[in-house]
Amino acid sequence: MYRPFALLRPLPPPLAWLGLALLIFAACLVGIFARPIGFLSAFWPANALLLGLLVRYPRLARPPAWVAAAVGYLAADLATGSDWSMALWLNGANMLGATAGWLVLRRLDERIRRLQRTVSALYLLVAALVASTVGALAGCGAAPVYFDTPWTDLLSLWFSTELMNYMLIVPVVLAAPRADDPPPAMNAPQGLPGASLFWRVAPVSSLLLAEGIRTVVGGPGMLAFVVPGLLWCALSYSPFTSSLLSLVVCLWTMAGVATGVLNFTPAHASDVFSLRVGVTLLALGPLAVACASAARAEALRRLDHAVRHDDLTGVLARRAFLQQGERLVARYQRESAGLAVLMVDVDHFKQVNDQLGHGAGDQLLVGLAQAMAGALRPQDVLGRLGGEEFAVVLPDASPAEAHAIAERLRKVVEQQTFGAAGGVPRHATISIGLVHSATLGGDADMDMLLLAADAALYRAKAQGRNRVMMG
């Protein structure tokens, strides 16, 4: 399935640094055009983008990346007519703040950085506070020099805008889909997958409804109108989607409050500070819920994998294999090609356990499972029924194709070297019993196919092992 922002392979470093410089340049232009006349920007996304990218792509965080970012910052200011000295001072403070946040986040566990742990929002808030404080302290001294205002006003405005930007933008960057993510799934109410269209659109529809009500009602409590909708989205969607919705809603809320009321200058410093901190806290709650929901979803995926898969070999466990086999039989039984079932048994496996110990036998089973899985087609299903016995379902395979796949399995195992500590034999062989659905007719179920394949397996073992026998 297509995932936006999910790069299949990393860019070469020179291209990555060039892309970073261009992105920072563009983000700075957005912020420059949002500046009130003669003062700092009302919205400055460049620092949050820089922090998010450095944390998301640790390999990018090298000295050339900081050089590229500095070029992007300075180029944007100089291209729009800013003074050299002011550009150096303010952009130096910008980079110091982003670097401070990166130092807080860079050593955290990857799952925390990807907003898949319940503590992710807390760590992000700490990093945002540190980055905002460092940047504001480094830049506030420019107030009396370039803006003829007290340094305390610039400290307040810088800190509040940076805190808001970090908490709104960095989660979107960190949680953006990646190529190695599991297939995305919409969470239904109470976490049930496969929700109807109504439940898929209901959370975001509630945000639109809240916006409409807020427009009509107005008043000092308008900031809180969207909280239930944002929380519902955080419970229903991925952290990326919910963070993106929070970004849009919070910026829209800030714009709606500020239009015609506030001017983002020292004259309204206390009101602007209050607004931005309020918007930050508005985004923090849904972000924390989204992180907790993502952690819960990952725990459920791990639990489902543990229940469905054999804990030794990693292939499907007996019950999950039989369930999936039943579905495939029902689907392919009456198809032109049909399907085949293989029963696979490791030859002389008891001798391995008796002579070398059960640890060596376990290592052999793991190696055999990996070798067989690598020799099968993507649509084939491999499971462990117990002990040294495996089974395979080959959907959409003719008898000749199924026999060829079975022979390939046998040869792969026969030629594989299974060397390991503990004296595991260098080679092993398997016997395979094969039955095709066309042999038993259209009414055969999974149990009948397994019984017929098992009978063929016993004939293969009786005739000398290390062979494929058709049932």
Side-chain angles (χ1 to χ4, degrees), residues 237-444:
Y237 303 137
S238 68
F240 170 69
T241 303
S242 57
S243 298
L244 189 60
L245 289 172
S246 292
L247 171 64
V248 173
V249 169
C250 289
L251 290 182
W252 180 260
T253 299
M254 188 181 72
V257 173
T259 300
V261 178
L262 292 179
N263 185 13
F264 292 89
T265 62
H268 295 85
S270 60
D271 292 333
V272 171
F273 180 88
S274 176
L275 172 62
R276 285 171 170 163
V277 173
V279 169
T280 301
L281 296 178
L282 177 65
L284 179 60
L287 176 62
V289 171
C291 294
S293 182
R296 173 178 173 272
E298 183 188 2
L300 290 175
R301 283 195 299 269
R302 290 178 179 270
L303 178 62
D304 179 70
H305 186 275
V307 170
R308 290 175 52 81
H309 290 77
D310 177 54
D311 59 350
L312 175 64
T313 62
V315 301
L316 286 178
R318 180 186 183 92
R319 182 176 179 182
F321 172 80
L322 294 177
Q323 290 175 342
Q324 193 159 340
E326 287 286 2
R327 289 194 292 268
L328 291 173
V329 169
R331 177 179 177 183
Y332 288 97
Q333 177 75 294
R334 302 182 187 279
E335 296 288 336
S336 57
L339 81 164
V341 172
L342 312 181
M343 288 289 290
V344 182
D345 190 82
V346 184
D347 296 331
H348 304 296
F349 182 73
K350 187 176 184 300
Q351 296 179 13
V352 177
N353 282 334
D354 293 342
Q355 297 174 8
L356 304 174
H358 289 277
D362 288 346
Q363 293 182 35
L364 177 59
L365 291 176
V366 171
L368 285 168
Q370 293 174 347
M372 289 190 291
L376 292 171
R377 304 172 302 172
Q379 66 267 37
D380 299 333
V381 179
L382 171 64
R384 184 186 179 198
L385 301 186
E388 72 275 22
E389 196 169 56
F390 295 84
V392 183
V393 178
L394 306 175
D396 195 23
S398 67
E401 291 171 333
H403 190 274
I405 295 172
E407 275 293 337
R408 183 167 73 239
L409 286 179
R410 186 191 66 79
K411 291 179 180 178
V412 164
V413 172
E414 183 181 34
Q415 297 169 2
Q416 182 78 31
T417 299
F418 301 101
V424 175
R426 294 181 60 83
H427 294 282
T429 61
I430 55 176
S431 300
I432 301 176
L434 184 158
V435 65
H436 195 273
S437 59
T439 305
L440 301 183
D443 295 329

Side-chain angles (χ1 to χ4, degrees), residues 14 36 39 48 55 59 84 89 110 127 191 237 285 298 325 331 357 418 458:
F39 203 64
V55 173
R59 293 183 179 180
W84 258 104
W89 189 335
E110 183 182 6
Y237 303 137
E298 183 188 2
R331 177 179 177 183
F418 301 101
Y458 276 102

